[in-house]
Amino acid sequence: GQNIDQPTEMTATEGAIVQINCTYQTSGFNGLFWYQQHAGEAPTFLSYNVLDGLEEKGRFSSFLSRSKGYSYLLLKELQMKDSASYLCAVRRIKAAGNKLTFGGGTRVLVKP
Amino acid sequence: DVKVTQSSRYLVKRTGEKVFLECVQDMDHENMFWYRQDPGLGLRLIYFSYDVKMKEKGDIPEGYSVSREKKERFSLILESASTNQTSMYLCASSPGGVDKETQYFGPGTRLLVL
């Protein structure tokens, strides 16, 4: 089976940095995705990591350590519009149909 | 731009009713998925399909069935709706192959079963 853990909620101030951690236990790991989901809307793709290291994309970066079963999503220069839930999802090798398993999501609240 | 549409944004049904949720994607994707999303539980996979007429159970298939007669359309069926099926239902699609192909989500259907 798989176990994916991330904090339920985080609060940060506009302009600050927030780091959302995701730990996972799975056999046959084959990639980790981060999605952003605003309230009442569909999740949208943010990042994908399959090798160890940091992937940077503008204000957002995602890090992966396969040996530790650990990833984080880093949001820099926070803006009010970044208030959303952030979902961590893991894919396994030979998962038919590109099947993902999701964590419970982390709700981030950005305050002025 | 990939577009995934769902037939309804909000739906209210009574216990015991048969419910159909429709999902259509316009990008010729092989894979399609149905999830439900509940507070504190995240997205849980109900069923998925990797080809026309092909389906596989996800993590919580009980009480649900699916149909994929055409590549672009994936239907979720609640044969006899129950109150514990009140939830947000999200459809997604993705291209075939592996690597970094992500899933694209529809806007969701919020179902209330009374």
Side-chain angles (χ1 to χ4, degrees):
Chain A
Q2 299 182 81
N3 200 26
I4 302 170
D5 290 312
Q6 48 181 132
T8 306
E9 200 168 288
M10 302 180 75
T11 303
T13 306
E14 197 175 12
I17 297 173
V18 71
Q19 177 174 314
I20 307 168
N21 296 325
C22 172
T23 58
Y24 62 89
Q25 293 171 321
T26 186
S27 55
F29 173 85
N30 191 30
L32 187 143
F33 293 80
W34 283 97
Y35 289 84
Q36 180 190 58
Q37 186 179 24
H38 286 102
E41 296 183 14
T44 54
F45 169 75
L46 284 179
S47 70
Y48 168 77
N49 295 71
V50 68
L51 300 176
D52 286 355
L54 189 68
E55 295 275 344
E56 295 187 80
K57 214 186 262 187
R59 294 189 298 114
F60 293 4
S61 305
S62 57
F63 172 83
L64 177 68
S65 168
R66 295 176 65 138
S67 61
K68 294 181 179 173
Y70 167 69
S71 172
Y72 67 72
L73 180 70
L74 195 69
L75 315 181
K76 294 181 269 192
E77 299 167 23
L78 277 172
Q79 301 176 9
M80 299 299 290
K81 67 178 182 179
D82 297 330
S83 290
S85 287
Y86 293 85
L87 314 178
C88 170
V90 169
R91 184 174 63 210
R92 297 170 65 191
I93 289 175
K94 294 183 182 175
N98 189 21
K99 194 171 69 161
L100 302 177
T101 299
F102 285 82
T106 299
R107 196 166 68 174
V108 171
L109 177 62
V110 180
K111 293 186 172 177
Chain B
D1 252 7
V2 176
K3 195 156 187 191
V4 181
T5 56
Q6 296 183 225
S7 49
S8 307
R9 289 301 301 270
Y10 301 94
L11 213 49
V12 180
K13 295 291 180 181
R14 297 212 172 269
T15 301
E17 277 193 78
K18 191 168 185 175
V19 182
F20 291 88
L21 303 182
E22 303 282 339
C23 175
V24 178
Q25 50 94 3
D26 66 357
M27 285 302 292
D28 202 36
H29 285 171
E30 281 78 8
N31 306 314
M32 296 187 75
F33 309 82
W34 274 107
Y35 296 89
R36 62 178 284 177
Q37 186 173 31
D38 301 289
L41 296 175
L43 270 77
R44 292 180 292 165
L45 182 64
I46 304 170
Y47 265 97
F48 70 102
S49 168
Y50 49 90
D51 203 349
V52 175
K53 297 192 187 294
M54 305 302 287
K55 60 187 178 186
E56 277 200 29
K57 292 180 181 179
D59 301 316
I60 50 163
E62 296 78 21
Y64 303 94
S65 62
V66 289
S67 172
R68 191 153 180 216
E69 296 297 316
K70 293 185 177 180
K71 192 174 186 180
E72 67 271 18
R73 189 179 297 266
F74 192 36
S75 304
L76 180 70
I77 303 149
L78 287 66
E79 293 289 340
S80 177
S82 62
T83 54
N84 63 14
Q85 292 178 310
T86 290
S87 187
M88 168 71 93
Y89 289 87
L90 286 161
C91 174
S93 74
S94 73
V98 192
D99 295 320
K100 64 179 191 179
E101 293 295 349
T102 185
Q103 293 184 12
Y104 300 87
F105 285 86
T109 297
R110 194 168 287 282
L111 173 67
L112 173 62
V113 182
L114 299 173

